[in-house]
């Protein structure tokens, strides 16, 4: 359900950026944030089918990363809240750690002794 909502919002934000915003910098930032959000929404959908501690950690890291990274960029350019992007680097780190956790999940699935 969360992955579906995030995916829907990503597509909607991409459409808003393409058709309703005239500032080129804002369009580029929102489109990039929407792309990252869409990719990570698909990853969340994939992870919803996985069990294990690393899969669960990855789900949470990816969700927090989407909210902090993508959400802060979207809020900055859509609602003109400039200070909100101060959390974007933390969101980016969460997204990266989510991918690391996914890799660890894959290792654990291959080697059942983890």
């Amino acid at each position: 359900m969360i992955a579906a909502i995030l995916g829907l919002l990503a597509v909607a934000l991409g459409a808003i950026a393409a058709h309703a915003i005239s500032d080129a910098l804002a369009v580029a930032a929102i489109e990039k944030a929407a792309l990252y959000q869409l990719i990570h929404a698909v990853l969340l959908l994939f992870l919803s089918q996985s069990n294990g501690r690393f899969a669960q950690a990855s789900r949470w890291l990816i969700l927090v990363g989407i909210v902090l990274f993508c959400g802060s960029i979207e809020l900055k350019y859509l609602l003109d809240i400039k200070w909100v992007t101060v959390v974007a680097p933390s969101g980016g780190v969460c997204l990266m750690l989510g991918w690391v956790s996914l890799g660890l999940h894959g290792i654990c699935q291959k080697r059942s002794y983890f």
Side-chain angles (χ1 to χ4, degrees), residues 8-9 12-13 20-23 29 31 34 36 40 50 52 58-59 69 76 85 88-89 99 104 106 110 114:
L8 170 66
L9 287 173
L13 288 167
I21 298 175
S22 58
D23 178 10
E31 284 179 343
Y36 274 53
H40 289 91
S50 301
S58 186
R59 282 192 296 269
F69 182 76
K76 176 182 179 179
T85 53
W99 284 100
L104 293 171
K110 188 171 182 174
F114 270 58

Side-chain angles (χ1 to χ4, degrees), residues 3 7 14-15 18 24 26 31 33 37 41 46-48 52-53 60 75 81 84 94 97-98 106:
E31 284 179 343
Q37 182 171 325
F46 168 77
L47 286 166
S48 71
R53 66 180 186 248
W60 281 107
L75 287 173
I81 304 173
V84 76
C94 286
L97 290 174

